[in-house]
Amino acid sequence: MSSKYAYQLIPESFLLGEEEMAIESKVRKMTVESKVISGTAVAKKIREELRQQVDELRAAGAQFVPGLRIVQVGGREDSNVYIRMKMKAAKEIGINAVHVQLPRSVTELELIDKLNDLNVDPLVHGIIVQMPLDCDTAIDPHRITDAVSPAKDVDGLHTVNEGRLAVGDLNGFLPCTPWGCLELIRSTGVEIAGARAVVLGRSKIVGTPAAELLKWANATVTVCHSKTKNLEEITRSADILLVGIGVAELVKGSWIKPGAVVIDCGINVKPDASKPNGTRLVGDVDYEQAKMVAGYLTPVPGGVGPMTVAMLMKNTVVSATRAATTARSNKWSLQVLPLRLVRPVPSDIDIARAQRPKHIGKLAEEIGLLPNEVSMYGSRKAKISLSVIERLKDQQVGKYVVVAGITPTPLGEGKTTTLMGLVQALGAHKHRNVIAALRQPSQGPTFGIKGGAAGGGYAQVIPMEEFNLHLTGDIHAVAAANNLVAAQLDTRIFHEATQTDKALYNRLVPKIKGQRKFSPIQLRRLQRLGIDKTEPDELSETEAAAFSRLNIDVDTIMWERVVDINDRYLREITIGESPSEKGLSRKTRFSIAVASEIMAVLALSSSLADMKCRLGEMVVAFNKEGLPVTTDDLGVTGALAVLLKDALEPNLMQSLEGTPVLVHAGPFANIAHGCNSIIADEIGLKLVGSQGFVCTEAGFGSDIGMEKFCNIKCRNSGRKPDAMVLVTTVRAIKMHGGGAPVTPGTPLNKQYTEENLELLEKGLPNLLQHISNGCSFGMPVVVTINAHVADTPAEHELLKKAALEAGAFAAVVSTHWADGGAGAVPVADAVIEACERKNEFKLLYEPNLPLEDKMNKIAQTMYGAGQVELSQEAKDQIKRLTDAGFGSLPICMSKTSGSVTGDANIKGAPKGFTLKVQNVYVSAGAGFVVAMCGDITKMPGLSTRPAIYDIDLNTETGQIEGLF
């Protein structure tokens, strides 16, 4: 790009000179000097209008400021002059312009990397690269101009924008200098349509695009260049003559048709002894001769040059306006994937395989994510950066819907399937912005009895095999972090037992290259101990001993190792049996990975900083003085944060109909709080906007998952759900009415495959208890009957009538398993209507209630219990936790999912029973106290015939078989 041409974009016009004379014809012979077209005046008018537009943008959006980045390589003075002009104009208009100056030594790759960073920066709306590049290395200018995103190419030089201009699409960014020339022509009042225009010069920057603009303005255009014959004759025929040939004063008066409009784009330096610096600027047109012939003429300087800068500013404001409009409208252009329904309904994996997912990058773009916010794991799943929350911090959030269930049969009642059907209905059929927010399933159930957790039938997350297995490795990261804590815990006990105070201190704070210093995490321990010293050699022997020894009481250790498979033989083990451990063995156990407190921390964290803080607060044991010992005391907080940094980012997948799904975190509901992550919900609520929906699920029945969703998750996030969808089935209600046992792998009793209204009516109390649970939190409850083939209309009507009489907002039948989103449209309609009501959500209890009182409040309200009965061990633990400052934490009740009571064999909804609590422990990092009710194991086991038998890999196709 030659420095002799100014370039940049925008329109508008103004004519400065003698009072405008009436133009009796398009072309007339001038008998007086031509009128001067002042680019300075026209540009000033444009800048004033832009200033007003920017003010309106700022008024419409919170602190919205158009952003321009001017990238310069090296430091040529002529380039500096242009940059100063642009910076000055931007400041005057209210554009945040930043001069990005790179050294001469920058390489082409480094420059492109910088441009890529600017391309994805939401605060940047326009990017220009100042040419020529003043560099030491070979850099291809064309490759650089094409490295700027077409959406931010306010110079209008990207091949895409040039191509759009060539085919007459003027909605892209127009090149600044040609656009400025066109506006100057328009300012004269001379009609362009039908006029004969001659463009002298064919440069990429001026001549060629100027000819295109004149052509699309309906002029008849001739382009001349250095090889053109009879040049003077051709130019003399022009009604409009635009000159950008690069030769000083080439065009003489005799070349110009009398009365023509002459636009001079040239900037040349010519010797002039009369000037202080010995030179003057001239154009490509001999001004003194031309002014006696032309009707209108641009001067040099003061003609085209100011317009180039003005049009650049206008393009930047146009880009910013588009960005602001997009942000305000927030209506997705979602490409829906059509379903091709098959009867009878095939297996889940066959249905999933029959649907080709969209590229995950395409889906991310559709829902408003920027390229730098998406880290793709192949083409079908991606991680979403937490920076989305900051970018959308001023965005209004959508409606928040929680999907829960009644007390399920061992087969499950289709809660996740219903959730997927609902979001497919809202997104693909009701055309609402909607995101499903799910937990990542553990591999334990996948290889055990339950199978996958992607939904089922025509309401699924796809690809279901990736969803159900490793996904992006978050659970593995949790397991690694958990086991690092366990390793450090036992190692610390070993070293304290086998070393003197002095030896232990010297190893904890060693001399490295003759210097000793505390690490930041060690300094935090000193602060907790009240030792106000920062130099290791300043500590007294007593202080050094207090620093070095955690004095862990092994009988109080609460931390267990984890693995993400069902393994009953790890429920109780002995560690430290090797002779190298010097007899320091102890009994312990494994839990399944999703039962780790770290998984709960992941799910409840609101940011990286919050997660790191929570990780450091996890209590692993108590010391011999009864004080809590934390992971920060063990020195592992920073290492845990490093292991979990990527795991904190939610995973993006899609439904069978192409609607977005966020998959993140997977705490069990009967052991932990059973909800997906706060971060995933927060990102979803921001992305869908005020008219959209985020639908999330809470594990098992409402008595377990939904109660914790409200009292733990929403208490932490501050969000208030707008509605609850309660999933029920005829089968489950019959079971609670006294039906035969439902056992996986065995045929259903005919009670479940034939109409039986009497049995169904007996089981209604369980449904009514769960409706009451939702109403207790002030949420409208939409009861959804997940239809099964054997159901009858009479059975459905009985459930609907009972639900409405019990206070449900709505009760509908859904056929999403067989029909996809279309089958869940009645649910979607009910949810939309429910969310229009005033939000009256409330928590069940205040945090300052004593721990036992909170347990009673939950048991009596959610389960129908009469009271909670604490074992002596539980009483002692509550006292210890209260004394340690954990009494104000919410309660996480750990109980069976098979009954509203603590006994899985008791069905229905009995009232006034006693709920026994065996023991209590704290998950301080997660921020709740766990009450263990009944015999709850944190490590499931495999059945006689687990799903393992059916899962296989086809080595010819590479496909996984047997998942369900």
Side-chain angles (χ1 to χ4, degrees):
M1 189 183 305
S2 171
S3 62
K4 68 174 60 176
Y5 296 119
Y7 50 89
Q8 243 93 128
L9 24 96
I10 222 87
E12 239 52 53
S13 6
F14 188 75
L15 180 63
L16 191 73
E18 299 175 343
E19 188 175 18
E20 183 173 355
M21 299 164 57
I23 301 176
E24 296 178 357
S25 64
K26 182 172 58 179
V27 179
R28 67 178 179 79
K29 188 173 181 179
M30 303 290 295
T31 57
V32 295
E33 289 187 8
S34 62
K35 290 185 178 180
V36 176
I37 309 173
S38 172
T40 301
V42 177
K44 181 181 178 182
K45 176 71 173 177
I46 290 172
R47 292 196 303 273
E48 290 172 352
E49 292 173 350
L50 292 177
R51 171 78 247 186
Q52 183 176 351
Q53 291 176 31
V54 170
D55 288 343
E56 291 172 357
L57 273 179
R58 285 178 163 171
Q63 301 178 344
F64 188 89
V65 180
L68 174 65
R69 299 297 180 265
I70 304 171
V71 180
Q72 180 187 20
V73 175
R76 284 177 53 133
E77 185 51 36
D78 54 352
S79 293
N80 292 338
V81 171
Y82 286 123
I83 290 171
R84 285 194 291 270
M85 291 168 55
K86 296 164 187 173
M87 296 288 288
K88 180 181 177 182
K91 183 177 180 181
E92 178 184 333
I93 293 166
I95 295 171
N96 177 28
V98 176
H99 179 194
V100 180
Q101 190 163 19
L102 303 175
R104 288 173 52 89
S105 59
V106 74
T107 65
E108 184 174 90
L109 183 59
E110 290 171 334
L111 177 53
I112 290 174
D113 283 344
K114 182 61 183 178
L115 293 175
N116 287 337
D117 290 342
L118 297 175
N119 285 338
V120 298
D121 187 340
L123 299 179
V124 176
H125 305 104
I127 303 168
I128 62 172
V129 181
Q130 186 67 41
M131 297 290 182
L133 300 171
D134 181 22
C135 52
D136 297 331
T137 59
I139 299 179
D140 181 356
H142 181 73
R143 190 177 179 198
I144 296 306
T145 54
D146 272 5
V148 176
S149 167
K152 296 186 179 184
D153 169 40
V154 290
D155 253 338
L157 302 178
H158 194 284
T159 301
V160 168
N161 285 322
E162 289 179 333
R164 294 178 74 173
L165 173 58
V167 299
D169 179 358
L170 305 184
N171 293 315
F173 289 120
L174 302 179
C176 302
T177 298
W179 190 14
C181 293
L182 190 68
E183 292 305 317
L184 290 174
I185 296 168
R186 285 175 173 155
S187 73
T188 66
V190 172
E191 187 177 354
I192 299 174
R196 182 177 176 84
V198 173
V199 177
L200 189 51
R202 56 181 175 182
S203 73
K204 173 185 175 181
I205 307 303
V206 179
T208 298
E212 296 292 344
L213 280 171
L214 286 165
K215 178 180 70 175
W216 297 118
N218 298 311
T220 301
V221 184
T222 301
V223 178
C224 298
H225 45 77
S226 60
K227 304 299 182 183
T228 302
K229 297 179 180 180
N230 303 319
L231 190 59
E232 182 177 345
E233 179 182 338
I234 295 171
T235 59
R236 198 163 40 240
S237 69
D239 303 322
I240 298 169
L241 179 61
L242 192 150
V243 185
I245 200 71
V247 180
E249 299 181 328
L250 172 69
V251 177
K252 306 300 181 183
S254 60
W255 293 32
I256 300 171
K257 179 180 181 179
V261 177
V262 179
I263 306 296
D264 188 353
C265 300
I267 302 176
N268 307 280
V269 179
K270 185 175 182 179
D272 188 340
S274 67
K275 300 293 183 181
N277 62 356
T279 62
R280 63 187 174 94
L281 293 178
V282 299
D284 292 351
V285 177
D286 188 322
Y287 185 83
E288 293 303 319
Q289 291 189 25
K291 72 180 183 180
M292 306 305 298
V293 184
Y296 298 91
L297 177 65
T298 58
V300 176
V304 173
M307 289 298 293
T308 297
V309 177
M311 304 319 279
L312 168 66
M313 297 300 120
K314 183 157 189 174
N315 267 347
T316 303
V317 174
V318 166
S319 180
T321 302
R322 289 173 181 168
T325 301
T326 299
R328 283 197 297 268
S329 66
N330 200 40
K331 179 63 179 170
W332 298 344
S333 234
L334 199 68
Q335 179 185 2
V336 174
L337 301 179
L339 292 180
R340 293 170 179 83
L341 304 179
V342 176
R343 297 293 185 266
V345 177
S347 70
D348 292 349
I349 196 162
D350 286 342
I351 291 172
R353 290 235 173 97
Q355 185 69 289
R356 183 179 182 132
K358 289 182 281 190
H359 193 287
I360 202 68
K362 172 65 176 172
L363 177 61
E365 180 183 355
E366 288 176 343
I367 64 174
L369 290 166
L370 303 178
N372 66 321
E373 295 169 341
V374 182
S375 299
M376 285 183 283
Y377 283 61
S379 62
R380 304 188 293 184
K381 56 190 176 186
K383 277 199 163 290
I384 307 305
S385 171
L386 305 188
S387 63
V388 176
I389 297 174
E390 176 61 24
R391 175 172 67 86
L392 300 178
K393 63 183 178 182
D394 297 320
Q395 175 79 284
Q396 290 186 333
V397 298
K399 301 298 184 181
Y400 198 20
V401 179
V402 59
V403 179
I406 64 163
T407 307
T409 70
L411 299 178
E413 308 319 304
K415 181 160 48 64
T416 304
T417 305
T418 301
L419 169 60
M420 294 310 301
L422 170 60
V423 296
Q424 288 173 209
L426 285 167
H429 300 272
K430 303 302 291 186
H431 309 295
R432 301 295 186 105
N433 291 359
V434 62
I435 288 177
L438 299 176
R439 290 174 293 165
Q440 179 184 352
S442 164
Q443 289 178 162
T446 299
F447 291 114
I449 293 178
K450 184 175 181 290
Y458 287 99
Q460 293 188 51
V461 183
I462 56 173
M464 64 97 80
E465 57 265 53
E466 294 186 30
F467 174 84
N468 283 314
L469 296 175
H470 304 286
L471 197 55
T472 57
D474 293 349
I475 292 180
H476 301 314
V478 167
N482 182 98
N483 294 339
L484 178 62
V485 175
Q488 173 66 345
L489 171 62
D490 285 306
T491 299
R492 185 60 175 265
I493 293 170
F494 172 81
H495 288 307
E496 289 190 25
T498 57
Q499 296 181 48
T500 65
D501 290 349
K502 184 175 182 181
L504 187 61
Y505 183 70
N506 288 338
R507 285 186 171 91
L508 285 170
V509 194
K511 278 191 177 182
I512 300 175
K513 296 181 181 180
Q515 289 188 331
R516 303 176 76 182
K517 66 176 183 179
F518 293 116
S519 68
I521 200 167
Q522 289 176 323
L523 290 171
R524 290 202 297 270
R525 174 157 172 78
L526 288 171
Q527 291 174 356
R528 287 194 296 274
L529 292 170
I531 301 173
D532 188 20
K533 296 176 182 178
T534 58
E535 293 297 326
D537 293 331
E538 293 180 355
L539 268 66
S540 67
E541 288 186 6
T542 302
E543 290 171 334
F547 168 82
S548 303
R549 294 200 175 275
L550 300 180
N551 288 324
I552 294 168
D553 182 350
V554 294
D555 292 331
T556 66
I557 292 175
M558 297 179 287
W559 201 263
E560 300 163 356
R561 287 165 173 81
V562 300
V563 63
D564 195 39
I565 56 173
N566 293 357
D567 191 345
R568 66 189 313 119
Y569 272 83
L570 295 178
R571 290 173 178 169
E572 185 171 318
I573 61 173
T574 303
I575 60 172
E577 292 287 354
S578 169
S580 61
E581 277 31 86
K582 301 180 180 180
L584 293 170
S585 62
R586 67 179 181 91
K587 292 277 190 181
T588 184
R589 66 183 64 85
F590 270 73
S591 297
I592 196 162
V594 291
S596 169
E597 183 180 350
I598 291 178
M599 180 60 83
V601 165
L602 190 75
L604 291 169
S605 296
S606 59
S607 64
L608 266 174
D610 183 37
M611 181 184 74
K612 184 177 177 181
C613 180
R614 288 174 178 271
L615 290 171
E617 292 174 347
M618 294 188 300
V619 175
V620 298
F622 286 82
N623 66 16
K624 293 173 183 176
E625 289 74 44
L627 299 175
V629 177
T630 67
T631 40
D632 212 53
D633 291 321
L634 289 174
V636 295
T637 304
L640 298 180
V642 169
L643 283 172
L644 296 163
K645 174 177 67 71
D646 295 333
L648 190 60
E649 296 181 337
N651 305 290
L652 177 65
M653 297 187 78
Q654 63 193 282
S655 72
L656 275 170
E657 297 189 58
T659 60
V661 180
L662 289 177
V663 184
H664 199 217
F668 269 8
N670 62 334
I671 299 170
H673 70 288
C675 303
N676 74 308
S677 75
I678 285 175
I679 280 180
D681 289 0
E682 194 66 19
I683 288 176
L685 287 165
K686 293 289 187 180
L687 285 172
V688 299
S690 60
Q691 300 304 307
F693 295 81
V694 167
C695 301
T696 187
E697 49 93 29
F700 295 121
S702 73
D703 56 317
I704 299 179
M706 186 277 292
E707 180 271 316
K708 297 170 188 174
F709 167 82
C710 296
N711 282 324
I712 295 177
K713 183 177 180 180
C714 292
R715 192 185 298 272
N716 274 271
S717 70
R719 293 295 176 195
K720 297 180 177 181
D722 296 279
M724 168 186 164
V725 173
L726 179 63
V727 181
T728 188
T729 61
V730 170
R731 178 182 67 196
I733 298 300
K734 286 181 176 179
M735 181 193 72
H736 288 293
V742 176
T743 306
T746 61
L748 287 172
N749 186 285
K750 69 176 184 178
Q751 292 174 314
Y752 300 107
T753 57
E754 298 176 357
E755 183 176 289
N756 191 328
L757 298 179
E758 181 182 358
L759 188 63
L760 188 66
E761 190 164 8
K762 289 180 180 178
L764 287 176
N766 189 270
L767 172 63
L768 305 189
Q769 176 64 53
H770 290 285
I771 294 172
S772 172
N773 289 351
C775 294
S776 295
F777 289 97
M779 294 183 290
V781 178
V782 175
V783 173
T784 300
I785 303 167
N786 183 16
H788 287 202
V789 176
D791 298 352
T792 68
E795 289 174 329
H796 289 166
E797 285 303 315
L798 177 60
L799 290 182
K800 287 165 62 176
K801 182 174 182 293
L804 293 173
E805 289 177 353
F809 176 82
V812 296
V813 177
S814 184
T815 61
H816 48 274
W817 180 81
D819 300 322
V825 167
V827 189
D829 288 335
V831 166
I832 291 170
E833 186 180 352
C835 289
E836 291 172 351
R837 289 179 42 168
K838 180 182 178 182
N839 189 308
E840 295 180 345
F841 176 76
K842 58 186 177 182
L843 296 172
L844 194 61
Y845 56 80
E846 293 301 320
N848 57 358
L849 277 179
L851 292 174
E852 185 176 354
D853 289 356
K854 284 183 260 196
M855 295 177 198
N856 270 301
K857 184 70 174 177
I858 294 169
Q860 292 164 358
T861 309
M862 295 288 107
Y863 315 153
Q867 64 178 354
V868 164
E869 182 181 286
L870 302 175
S871 68
Q872 187 56 50
E873 182 182 7
K875 291 178 182 178
D876 294 342
Q877 290 163 336
I878 284 178
K879 182 179 186 308
R880 176 189 292 159
L881 294 178
T882 303
D883 292 344
F886 299 119
S888 62
L889 294 180
I891 295 292
C892 178
M893 301 292 277
S894 178
K895 78 171 193 70
T896 179
S897 60
S899 171
V900 292
T901 72
D903 184 346
N905 296 315
I906 299 176
K907 304 305 178 184
K911 303 297 179 185
F913 59 90
T914 297
L915 181 71
K916 295 183 178 181
V917 175
Q918 274 71 33
N919 58 72
V920 178
Y921 64 90
V922 66
S923 290
F928 52 71
V929 170
V930 181
M932 300 291 288
C933 309
D935 186 18
I936 300 297
T937 177
K938 296 166 70 177
M939 172 53 78
L942 294 173
S943 64
T944 304
R945 194 189 186 283
I948 292 170
Y949 283 94
D950 301 309
I951 297 172
D952 199 1
L953 178 68
N954 187 318
T955 56
E956 293 183 3
T957 64
Q959 288 191 328
I960 298 168
E961 298 173 347
L963 279 179
F964 66 97

